[in-house]
């Protein structure tokens, strides 16, 4: 037993016909020449002479024969290859789906068995068969690939060899007959093998392979602990500060990235290590959107040292250039403290640094307003304490013992007072308290007292140190208090936004839910979400919630938050602080996502409807082409026979031709009636006229054409049902026709009816072949004839029946008949007394748009088999 796992070599074709199988055989010849034991497990030549000739003397392992639906298929014989145990085996078309009954459903799974046995495998696959590219290939070529292989299977190959030809060369090969047979050449050149398609497929293959090579390079550098920069691909990192110059930097970085093919643009924003954002979230969100619009990716990292964090990120992504802006700080500050751009340049080493000037360069960083979490009452208490606390402490010491001069102990007590004021009123009141304490200590407790003069040098040092320590302690206390308040507020904001996100994920993604949550969260009186068609159109309210006075009431402040050019939020009530406005902007961004999600969902629904309509039209054209020609041909032949002056017909022949015309005409009428009914159902033109009705006025008329083949058991005392008799008659006729068609000879179809408290059930049971459980749902879709492809009709009968039953409020379902067969169960709601005026007339009294039964011949329109 070979414990070594085999090596996988993949020849990746950019398109069919580029020569990947030929290249695989060429490698096999080279290996054989070197003495390697190579066999062919499976090679698909597709009748190409050059490929057949290239097989040469290579040993071929016989294929495994599989019978499927009367057809003999050949598949890779994995067991035979394992018994032969070669060093290398060739297996063509990795994405192939095996025939039913094989050990594995896919060929790539067979290849894994060979690799596990220690056998090297050389295989082929086209780029359009990679699972991740299926949608892209369909968008390019219009062809959906049914056979796919997971990308990871190919990515894990030990060697991937791209087999490529220019689009012009491939089209010449095709035109010369080297790929397909002569009758397929013109169609292929004008469809799948168009020049644009081949160019796009070639680019897909190159990009996919480049990503795989890039992954391999990253793994190699990690395995070998290589921290240096290998400029295999241009990667431009833009340092995003959040300032007004950020947009300029991003656009400059994008222009640099566009100069090199395959270059990547990455934007990085560094958060402080305390996790509290220094830039408003809405601003960061706007820069993220700008980055994505420039085909870049936005990244956020946490770091105490911003320049080092930027450089570390650039090294981690193997960047070749860092784009930074000129410092906004004045020259004197840069000279004293340095600048981030200069520090990045110093740390970057092998990474180039591109310094970008901008309008804000050296204009001075905007001084952010100092955040205060204190209420007005606390701030007032803090300023009052600036005088009250030092005076109270001084009075206390004077009353205690004025003659005892213990300056160190006094300093400690006054320092405690400064800290208390910092806790109550913040930094500035604490600093003022320290200055007032300094003056009082000097006046009352240092020699000579009563004068602002200090004789002892040690007292001077003590008082100066007191002021410095008091200021430092007050600053630390104030900073800790503000950071604590910011953290609490950030947690509250995150909780609020998380609640909004949960509401979106749970389905409460309505505009009304957003405005209601805004009104509750920010305690405002009125919130409106408005939209407009364009920049000149007036604003129109999409959702409004009111919890207090009107927005135009005296003292009401109106806050407007723009979501995008067509949407905005308007809040009326209390004046919102700047910090609250940032959260409202985040709400606005979320509202924009909700609106965009709704728009995309509506577009997806419309696209799905169009896709279904297109699929129906395609299926209709494919199915109707035969079913229309057959009766028309019979009518034409009969008419020609009747009208021919050269043929003398006896009465029997004339009657036979006349019957043929009548039968074919009736078949055409039934076919056209079905198509019209299906069209009306799909367009919503069926509008039933519901009224109380008895099944006795519906069932006998509906089943009359098939009475000899039925056993009818419909009690006379059944309660009335609420339905449209004409439409229900069509449903019953369709179901009975379908059952009679599939019932075996001599076994009549049983039609029974029974009532429950709320509904009446009509059961149509046959003893035919039945329908598998996995097809009982799809059998009600149009053109579903399952394996019955020999009989006439398009398979529309049950589709129309299901649509009409839904229109009249009934349900139709399929069950197995005990002993074999199919039972169709039609459930109709019972009539409720006093439901309103009864529509006049009998069966077929639906409105003009409804589908009514005109006569028994029309009722027979639903005899197309659905099974």
């Amino acid at each position: 037993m070979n414990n070594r796992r085999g090596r996988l070599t993949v020849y990746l074709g950019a398109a069919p016909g580029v020569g990947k199988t030929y290249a695989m055989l060429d490698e096999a010849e080279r290996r054989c020449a070197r003495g390697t034991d190579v066999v062919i497990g499976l090679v698909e030549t597709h009748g190409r002479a050059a490929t057949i000739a290239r097989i040469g003397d290579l040993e071929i392992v016989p294929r495994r024969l599989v019978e499927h639906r009367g057809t003999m298929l050949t598949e890779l014989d994995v067991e035979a290859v394992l018994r032969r145990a070669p060093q290398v085996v060739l297996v063509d078309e990795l994405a192939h789906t095996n025939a039913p009954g094989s050990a594995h459903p896919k060929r790539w799974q067979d290849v894994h068995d060979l690799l596990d046995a220690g056998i090297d495998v050389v295989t082929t696959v086209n780029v359009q068969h990679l699972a991740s590219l299926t949608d892209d290939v369909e968008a390019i070529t219009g062809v959906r690939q049914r056979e796919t292989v997971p990308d990871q299977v190919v990515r894990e190959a030990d060697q991937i060899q791209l087999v490529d030809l220019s689009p012009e060369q491939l089209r010449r090969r095709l035109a010369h007959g080297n790929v397909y047979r002569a009758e397929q050449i013109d169609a292929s050149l004008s469809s799948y093998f168009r020049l644009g398609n081949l160019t796009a497929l070639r680019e897909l293959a190159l990009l996919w392979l480049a990503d795989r090579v890039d992954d391999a390079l990253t793994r190699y550098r990690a395995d070998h602990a290589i921290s240096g920069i290998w400029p295999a691909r241009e990667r431009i990192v833009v340092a995003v500060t959040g300032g007004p110059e950020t947009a300029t930097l991003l656009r400059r970085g994008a222009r640099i990235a566009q100069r090199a093919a395959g270059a990547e643009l990455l934007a990085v924003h560094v958060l402080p290590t305390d996790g509290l954002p220094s830039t408003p979230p809405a601003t960061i969100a706007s820069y993220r959107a700008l980055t994505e619009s420039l085909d870049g990716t936005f990244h956020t990292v946490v770091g105490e040292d911003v320049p080092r964090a930027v450089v570390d990120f650039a090294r981690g992504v193997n960047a070749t250039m860092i784009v930074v802006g000129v410092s906004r700080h004045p020259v004197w500050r840069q000279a004293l403290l340095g600048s981030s751009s200069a520090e990045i340049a110093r740390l970057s080493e092998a990474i180039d640094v591109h310094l970008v000037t901008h309008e804000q360069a050296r204009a001075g960083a905007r001084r952010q307003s100092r955040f205060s979490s204190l209420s007005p009452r606390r701030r007032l208490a803090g300023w009052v304490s600036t005088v009250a606390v030092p005076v109270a402490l001084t009075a206390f010491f004077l009353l205690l013992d004025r003659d005892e001069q213990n300056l160190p102990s006094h300093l400690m007590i006054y320092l405690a007072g400064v800290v208390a004021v910092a806790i109550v009123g913040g930094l500035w009141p604490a600093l003022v308290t320290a200055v007032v304490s300094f003056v009082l200590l000097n006046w009352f407790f240092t020699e000579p007292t009563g004068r602002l003069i200090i004789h002892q040098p040690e007292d001077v040092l003590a008082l100066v140190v007191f002021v410095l320590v008091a200021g430092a302690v007050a600053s630390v206390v104030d900073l800790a208090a503000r950071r604590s308040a910011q953290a609490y507020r950030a947690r509250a904001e995150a909780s609020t936004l998380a609640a909004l996100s949960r509401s979106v994920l749970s389905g409460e993604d309505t505009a009304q839910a957003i405005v209601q949550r805004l009104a509750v969260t920010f305690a405002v009186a009125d919130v409106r979400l408005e939209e407009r068609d364009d920049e000149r159109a007036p604003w129109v309210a999409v959702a409004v919630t009111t919890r207090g006075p009107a927005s135009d009431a005296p003292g009401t402040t109106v806050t407007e938050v723009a979501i995008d050019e067509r949407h905005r939020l308007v809040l009326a009530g209390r004046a919102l602080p700047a910090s609250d406005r940032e959260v409202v902007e985040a709400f606005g961004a979320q509202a924009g996502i909700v609106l965009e999600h709704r728009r995309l969902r509506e577009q997806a629904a419309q696209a799905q409807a169009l896709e279904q309509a297109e699929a129906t039209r395609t299926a209709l054209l494919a199915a109707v082409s035969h079913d229309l020609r057959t009766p028309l041909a019979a009518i034409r032949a009969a008419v020609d026979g009747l009208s021919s002056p050269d043929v003398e017909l006896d009465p029997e022949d004339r009657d036979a031709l006349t019957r043929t015309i009548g039968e074919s005409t009736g078949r055409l009428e039934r076919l056209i009636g079905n198509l019209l009914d299906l069209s009306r159902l799909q367009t919503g033109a069926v509008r039933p006229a519901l009224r109380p009705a008895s099944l006795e006025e519906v069932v006998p008329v509906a089943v009359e054409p098939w009475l000899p083949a039925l056993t009818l058991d419909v009690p006379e005392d059944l309660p009335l049902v609420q339905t449209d008799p004409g439409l229900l008659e069509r449903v019953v006729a369709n179901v009975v026709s379908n059952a009679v068609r599939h019932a075996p000879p001599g076994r009549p179809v049983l039609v029974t009816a029974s009532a429950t408290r709320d509904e009446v059930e009509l059961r149509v049971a046959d003893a035919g072949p039945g329908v598998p459980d996995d097809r009982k749902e799809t059998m009600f879709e149009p053109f579903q004839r399952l394996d019955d492809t020999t009989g006439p009709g398009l398979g529309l009968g049950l589709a129309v029946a299901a649509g009409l039953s839904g229109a009249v409020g009934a349900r139709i379902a399929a069950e197995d008949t005990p002993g074999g067969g199919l039972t169709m169960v039609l459930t109709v709601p019972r009539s409720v007394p006093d439901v309103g005026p009864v529509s006049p007339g009998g069966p077929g009294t639906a409105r003009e748009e409804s589908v009514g039964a005109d006569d028994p011949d029309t009722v027979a329109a639903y005899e197309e088999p659905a099974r």
Side-chain angles (χ1 to χ4, degrees):
M1 177 64 69
N2 190 353
N3 294 326
R4 181 187 71 88
R5 178 175 171 82
R7 293 175 56 84
L8 176 63
T9 301
V10 177
Y11 280 88
L12 177 65
V18 295
K20 61 186 184 303
T21 302
Y22 190 92
M24 178 180 67
L25 291 171
D26 194 48
E27 178 177 344
E29 287 288 349
R30 291 194 302 270
R31 294 198 183 194
C32 282
R34 295 195 299 265
T36 305
D37 183 15
V38 181
V39 301
I40 295 178
L42 189 146
V43 167
E44 299 289 357
T45 64
H46 300 291
R48 298 166 186 166
T51 305
I52 296 174
R54 199 72 187 90
I55 293 177
D57 297 330
L58 291 174
E59 179 184 350
I60 301 176
V61 177
R63 301 189 187 187
R64 178 172 55 89
L65 297 178
V66 180
E67 182 180 358
H68 179 61
R69 294 184 178 180
T71 303
M72 296 303 297
L73 305 176
T74 61
E75 296 290 353
L76 172 67
D77 194 337
V78 178
E79 296 297 329
V81 174
L82 292 175
R83 288 194 299 270
R84 171 63 176 76
Q87 291 178 285
V88 180
V89 61
L90 308 185
V91 180
D92 207 1
E93 298 187 357
L94 185 64
H96 173 77
T97 301
N98 292 329
S102 302
H104 298 297
K106 303 292 288 187
R107 184 168 291 168
W108 62 264
Q109 296 170 313
D110 296 336
V111 168
H112 274 196
D113 289 346
L114 298 176
L115 294 173
D116 292 338
I119 301 174
D120 293 346
V121 178
V122 183
T123 186
T124 65
V125 69
N126 281 331
V127 68
Q128 68 264 25
H129 296 296
L130 296 173
S132 67
L133 302 180
T134 302
D135 294 337
D136 296 332
V137 172
E138 182 181 10
I140 293 170
T141 64
V143 178
R144 184 74 177 182
Q145 299 296 329
R146 291 176 297 177
E147 294 187 332
T148 61
V149 59
D151 289 45
Q152 194 62 27
V153 174
V154 183
R155 285 186 182 276
E156 291 176 351
D158 298 276
Q159 181 180 352
I160 300 178
Q161 181 69 42
L162 178 65
V163 183
D164 186 23
L165 284 177
S166 69
E168 294 80 4
Q169 288 178 305
L170 182 55
R171 285 173 60 85
R172 281 198 297 271
R173 287 196 62 193
L174 191 70
H176 293 160
N178 296 330
V179 180
Y180 294 137
R181 295 190 301 271
E183 62 271 17
Q184 298 176 297
I185 293 175
D186 291 339
S188 300
L189 286 173
S190 61
S191 57
Y192 192 92
F193 288 84
R194 291 197 299 269
L195 191 62
N197 289 0
L198 296 178
T199 303
L201 289 174
R202 189 184 191 193
E203 183 176 3
L204 275 180
L206 291 171
L207 290 176
W208 187 92
L209 191 59
D211 287 340
R212 194 263 183 184
V213 172
D214 193 61
D215 292 342
L217 177 61
T218 301
R219 287 197 301 270
Y220 181 85
R221 295 178 70 240
D223 294 341
H224 293 78
I226 299 174
S227 59
I229 301 301
W230 285 12
R233 177 190 292 192
E234 289 290 338
R235 287 186 176 86
I236 314 301
V237 172
V238 179
V240 174
T241 63
E245 75 278 5
T246 300
T248 302
L249 300 182
L250 288 172
R251 293 190 177 94
R252 180 64 59 84
R255 287 198 297 270
I256 296 174
Q258 290 170 359
R259 297 172 186 168
E264 295 182 21
L265 174 67
L266 303 94
V268 57
H269 176 66
V270 181
L271 286 175
T273 52
D274 56 15
L276 298 175
S278 57
T279 305
T283 303
I284 297 300
S286 66
Y287 291 141
R288 182 186 297 274
L290 176 60
T291 304
E292 293 172 353
S293 69
L294 296 172
D295 294 331
T297 56
F298 194 93
H299 305 267
T300 301
V301 297
V302 177
E304 183 177 358
D305 186 351
V306 173
R308 184 168 296 279
V310 171
V311 174
D312 289 344
F313 173 82
R315 287 202 183 99
V317 298
N318 199 25
T320 56
M321 180 181 293
I322 302 175
V323 177
V324 295
V326 174
S327 176
R328 289 180 281 120
H329 297 299
V331 177
W332 66 266
R333 191 181 186 281
Q334 295 183 50
L336 293 176
L337 303 176
S339 65
S340 297
S341 56
E343 185 67 9
I344 289 174
R346 188 184 68 83
L347 297 172
S348 62
E349 297 179 352
I351 306 176
D352 295 338
V353 176
H354 189 84
L355 198 61
V356 179
T357 59
H358 48 85
E359 295 180 356
Q360 288 75 28
R362 296 187 179 89
R366 293 180 301 174
R367 187 176 184 273
Q368 297 182 351
S369 59
R370 194 174 189 84
F371 173 78
S372 176
S373 61
L374 302 179
S375 64
R377 180 175 300 177
R378 284 188 59 181
R379 289 197 295 270
L380 177 61
W383 286 110
V384 171
S385 300
T386 58
V387 177
V389 170
V391 171
L393 291 176
T394 302
F396 172 75
F397 288 127
L398 292 176
L399 292 176
L400 184 64
D401 187 357
R402 179 166 182 167
D403 296 332
E404 183 179 352
Q405 303 295 329
N406 190 357
L407 185 60
S409 62
H410 294 168
L411 290 176
M412 295 300 296
I413 301 299
Y414 276 96
L415 182 59
V418 173
V419 173
V421 173
I423 295 174
V424 174
L427 176 61
W428 291 108
L431 293 178
V432 173
T433 303
V435 173
V436 174
S437 299
F438 172 83
V439 174
L440 293 177
L441 284 167
N442 187 4
W443 186 273
F444 289 103
F445 303 108
T446 59
E447 294 294 339
T449 60
R451 300 175 61 185
L452 295 177
I453 298 175
I454 305 174
H455 284 170
Q456 301 296 329
E458 58 271 19
D459 292 344
V460 175
L461 179 62
L463 289 177
V464 171
V465 171
F466 163 76
V467 173
L468 295 177
V469 171
V473 171
S475 178
V476 170
V477 171
D478 176 71
L479 179 62
R482 288 190 295 109
R483 287 301 190 190
S484 177
Q486 287 178 345
Y488 177 80
R489 184 175 186 83
R491 185 178 66 180
E493 293 171 357
S495 176
T496 302
L497 293 176
L500 178 62
S501 299
R502 282 195 301 271
S503 68
V504 173
L505 294 175
S506 63
E508 301 176 16
D509 57 345
T510 63
Q512 191 64 36
I514 292 176
V515 297
Q516 288 177 352
R517 189 174 293 275
L518 270 172
V520 172
T521 302
F522 297 98
V524 291
D526 181 77
V527 180
R528 298 194 308 276
L529 177 60
E530 299 179 342
E531 70 175 359
R532 59 182 178 181
D533 295 332
D534 52 57
E535 294 182 358
R536 298 182 179 180
W539 291 99
V540 178
V542 178
V544 179
T545 182
T546 302
R547 303 175 62 253
S551 59
D552 56 355
T556 300
T557 301
V558 177
T559 304
E560 295 182 3
V561 176
I563 298 176
D564 52 41
E565 294 180 354
R566 297 182 57 247
H567 299 89
R568 70 176 182 180
L569 283 169
V570 180
L571 293 81
R574 67 183 181 90
L576 294 180
S579 55
D580 279 355
R581 185 181 178 92
E582 292 178 2
V583 185
V584 174
E585 290 177 352
F587 262 89
Q590 186 69 41
I593 294 173
V594 168
L595 295 173
E596 181 67 13
H597 175 68
R598 291 175 57 190
R599 184 183 67 81
L600 293 176
R601 190 168 55 191
E602 292 172 357
Q603 289 182 350
Q606 295 173 358
Q608 184 178 7
L610 292 175
E611 183 179 356
Q612 291 176 348
E614 181 65 25
T616 301
R617 283 193 294 268
T618 302
L620 180 63
L621 291 174
V624 169
S625 59
H626 173 268
D627 286 78
L628 281 178
R629 282 199 301 266
T630 300
L632 284 175
I635 293 173
R636 179 61 182 268
V639 171
D640 289 344
L642 290 172
S643 61
S644 175
D646 301 329
V647 179
E648 292 291 337
L649 299 175
D650 56 32
E652 293 182 359
D653 292 337
R654 187 176 298 274
D655 291 342
L657 292 176
T658 303
R659 285 196 303 271
T660 299
I661 294 175
E663 292 172 357
S664 299
T665 303
R667 183 175 173 183
L668 276 178
E669 289 176 346
R670 293 191 292 271
L671 173 62
I672 294 172
N674 269 338
L675 294 175
L676 290 176
D677 290 349
L678 182 64
S679 175
R680 290 171 180 171
L681 286 169
Q682 290 180 339
T683 57
V686 176
R687 300 192 181 104
L690 302 180
R691 67 174 179 86
S694 171
L695 288 185
E696 282 195 331
E697 64 177 291
V698 175
V699 176
V701 178
V703 304
E704 183 178 356
W706 307 281
L707 278 177
L710 301 179
T711 299
L712 199 61
D713 183 13
V714 180
E716 297 180 357
D717 57 350
L718 286 174
L720 298 179
V721 294
Q722 187 73 11
T723 187
D724 182 318
L727 298 184
L728 185 62
E729 183 180 324
R730 303 296 293 269
V731 175
V732 175
N734 179 14
V735 173
V736 171
S737 170
N738 189 74
V740 171
R741 177 171 294 276
H742 293 89
R747 299 288 297 274
V749 174
L750 178 61
V751 180
T752 62
S754 60
T756 63
R757 188 181 66 177
D758 300 320
E759 298 170 326
V760 174
E761 278 189 357
L762 184 69
R763 305 176 71 89
V764 180
D766 65 65
V771 175
D773 291 338
D774 59 343
R775 304 302 300 269
K776 283 187 172 66
E777 293 296 331
T778 59
M779 66 185 292
F780 294 104
E781 298 177 1
F783 313 110
Q784 297 296 317
R785 298 170 58 185
L786 301 184
D787 293 332
D788 182 13
T789 58
T790 58
L794 300 178
L796 298 177
L798 291 183
V800 175
L804 293 179
S805 62
V808 299
R811 303 190 310 276
I812 187 170
E815 299 177 357
D816 292 329
T817 302
L822 185 70
T823 298
M824 303 297 291
V825 182
L826 180 63
T827 305
V828 188
R830 291 179 57 168
S831 175
V832 180
D834 299 327
V835 293
V838 178
S839 300
T845 58
R847 299 178 188 173
E848 184 178 353
E849 296 86 348
S850 67
V851 184
D854 298 326
D855 51 55
D857 291 336
T858 306
V859 172
Y862 297 98
E863 64 183 11
E864 282 82 357
R867 291 181 269 153

